């Protein structure tokens, strides 16, 4: 599995990853298709096999057959449960017994909290102090201990790493971890099974875990399928990194798509995206808002701003040459006030920093 980052376009289907021994530092050993399939077996017990639905409306608009993979209907409201659950499953009994820790103000927090509960482990989630109370309460509702610390994800992440050192907790990284990536890659297995003639998969990119896992699995099973990532134009760290050939750090991010607002992508996720993703494009906040409104008004799909960017790219001509395309709607956890403002024609103010 280690050699796949410098080898051919097709990943090794059979060589499984090694479980990292130091959970505070995610392994740089890439997962394989075998790991994705193993993750699917684990997830079948607890996660939802979300529907992949055909959209007549968006097919007409895009001039191609458009399918939507509705991860907004996943437990906790986003795809994040997949990676968190498989990551925790791969830990040793001793690592789980020490307790888990993660830093997040959003979907990863709830994914880890529920996954820990399902695996019989305790979880501590470090959230920025300004995290909305409803997100704190939902995370606590899954049984996690919430620690409010710092004014940004980076400060919360630093506190989480401190808890790894001082309390011996086991870190569950939001994206730059081979087991997390393998868990997210299970989406590709479902899409390829349900849409046999799909030629393009379009999905959101924040830190890159979803794109890395889906692209890895899709290329192993069907090398001709294109995988295209979509970022918010105001938080385009992966797009810049992809086109530059090396990781680029953004000094500032500005977008209301908080779920994919990441200033620096993962080391492992970047390597996998660079090798297996065909292109990374961007959409601005106005295009994202338009896609969100159309999804709700025309297709009755409630999506969050970061989760609908694939649809936005399709509707605004960023995806070319596709005949049968599947857009992953990665989450539906949107604040009611933000949703009401967007549906009312107002564009919420873009926010800075990073959120995972």
């Amino acid at each position: 599995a280690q050699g796949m980052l410098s080898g051919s376009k097709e990943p090794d289907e059979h060589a499984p990853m090694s479980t990292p021994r130091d959970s505070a530092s995610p392994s740089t050993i890439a997962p394989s298709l075998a790991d994705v399939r193993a993750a699917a077996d684990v997830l079948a017990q607890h996660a939802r096999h979300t529907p992949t639905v055909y959209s007549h409306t968006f097919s007409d608009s895009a001039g191609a057959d458009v399918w939507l993979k509705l991860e907004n209907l996943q437990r906790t409201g986003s795809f994040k449960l997949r990676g968190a659950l498989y990551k925790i499953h791969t830990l040793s009994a001793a690592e789980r017994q020490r307790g888990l820790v993660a830093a997040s103000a959003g979907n990863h927090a709830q994914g880890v909290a529920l996954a820990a509960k399902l695996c019989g482990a305790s979880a501590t989630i470090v959230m920025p102090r300004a995290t909305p109370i409803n997100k704190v309460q939902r995370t606590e509702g899954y049984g996690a201990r919430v620690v409010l610390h710092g004014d940004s994800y980076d400060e919360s992440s630093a506190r989480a790493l401190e808890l790894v050192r001082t309390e011996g907790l086991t870190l569950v990284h939001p994206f730059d971890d081979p087991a997390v990536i393998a868990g997210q890659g299970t989406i590709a297995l479902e899409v390829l099974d349900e849409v046999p003639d799909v030629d393009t998969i379009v999905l959101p990119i924040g830190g890159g875990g979803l794109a890395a896992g889906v692209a890895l699995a899709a290329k192993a099973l069907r090398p001709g399928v294109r995988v295209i990532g979509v970022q918010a134009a105001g938080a385009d760290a992966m797009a810049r990194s992809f086109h530059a050939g090396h990781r680029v750090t953004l000094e500032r991010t500005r977008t209301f798509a908080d779920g994919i607002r990441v200033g620096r992508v993962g080391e492992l996720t970047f390597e996998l995206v660079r090798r297996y993703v065909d292109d990374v494009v961007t959409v601005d906040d106005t295009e994202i808002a338009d896609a969100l409104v159309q999804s709700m008004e025309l297709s009755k799909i409630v999506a969050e701003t970061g989760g609908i960017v694939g649809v936005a790219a399709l509707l605004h001509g960023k995806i070319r040459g596709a005949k049968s395309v599947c857009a992953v709607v990665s989450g539906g956890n949107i604040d009611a006030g933000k949703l009401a403002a967007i549906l009312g024609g107002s564009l919420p103010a873009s926010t800075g920093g990073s959120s995972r």
Side-chain angles (χ1 to χ4, degrees), residues 27-356:
S27 170
T28 56
I29 298 176
S32 70
L33 179 60
D35 296 307
V36 177
R37 285 176 166 152
D41 289 340
V42 171
L43 296 180
Q45 304 172 50
H46 299 292
R48 189 167 289 152
H49 186 123
T50 55
T52 303
V53 300
Y54 183 79
S55 172
H56 294 277
T57 300
F58 293 147
S59 294
D60 291 340
S61 300
D65 287 332
V66 174
W67 299 79
L68 304 176
K69 178 61 170 171
L70 299 180
E71 282 296 291
N72 58 318
L73 301 181
Q74 184 58 261
R75 297 181 71 178
T76 74
S78 93
F79 74 97
K80 287 286 190 177
L81 175 65
R82 294 175 182 260
L85 185 55
Y86 186 57
K87 168 62 178 179
I88 296 170
H89 177 82
T90 65
L91 296 175
S92 67
E95 288 172 316
R96 287 195 297 270
Q97 190 171 19
R98 291 202 302 265
L100 311 172
V101 65
S104 171
N107 293 334
H108 182 60
Q110 295 174 66
V112 172
L114 176 57
K117 180 179 180 180
L118 293 171
C119 293
S122 63
T124 297
I125 309 297
V126 186
M127 300 176 125
R129 283 190 291 262
T131 301
I133 187 63
N134 63 326
K135 291 186 177 181
V136 173
Q137 291 173 339
R138 283 200 297 265
T139 303
E140 290 176 332
Y142 291 119
R145 171 180 67 135
V146 172
V147 174
L148 298 177
H149 179 87
D151 298 319
S152 68
Y153 168 82
D154 292 331
E155 292 179 6
S156 297
S157 180
R159 176 60 176 156
L161 291 174
E162 183 180 338
L163 292 175
V164 171
R165 294 188 294 269
T166 60
E167 297 186 15
L169 302 180
T170 300
L171 180 70
V172 182
H173 196 277
F175 49 81
D176 210 26
D177 181 282
V180 170
I181 292 169
Q184 320 304 28
T186 58
I187 290 174
L189 304 185
E190 296 174 16
V191 169
L192 294 179
D193 180 60
E194 295 169 1
V195 191
D197 64 343
V198 67
D199 59 50
T200 305
I201 300 173
V202 182
L203 40 67
I205 295 185
L210 174 62
V214 168
L216 166 72
K219 296 292 184 178
L221 290 168
R222 203 175 305 166
V225 171
R226 293 189 305 162
V227 179
I228 299 178
V230 185
Q231 289 207 289
D236 59 345
M238 184 65 85
R240 295 191 189 198
S241 300
F242 182 85
H243 294 295
H246 59 83
R247 284 197 298 165
V248 174
T249 300
L250 304 180
E251 293 185 4
R252 185 182 184 188
T253 58
R254 297 294 295 180
T255 178
F256 70 178
D258 53 328
I260 55 171
R261 193 178 63 233
V262 175
R264 182 171 176 81
V265 300
E267 179 180 358
L268 177 56
T269 57
F270 169 67
E271 292 298 331
L272 290 168
V273 166
R274 181 169 66 168
R275 180 147 301 274
Y276 299 119
V277 170
D278 294 275
D279 197 8
V280 182
V281 301
T282 63
V283 289
D284 62 34
D285 283 5
T286 300
E287 292 167 332
I288 296 171
D290 177 59
L292 189 146
V293 170
Q294 289 199 48
S295 295
M296 184 151 186
E297 291 187 344
L298 302 178
S299 297
K300 313 309 175 190
I301 293 170
V302 178
E304 61 191 79
T305 49
I308 203 66
V309 293
V311 173
L314 280 170
L315 295 180
H316 292 276
K318 308 297 177 73
I319 311 298
R320 301 185 182 278
K323 294 181 179 179
S324 180
V325 56
C326 181
V328 178
V329 179
S330 63
N333 293 320
I334 185 169
D335 176 80
K338 178 187 283 189
L339 178 60
I342 294 173
L343 292 175
S346 300
L347 196 65
S350 297
T351 50
S354 61
S355 173
R356 297 163 185 169

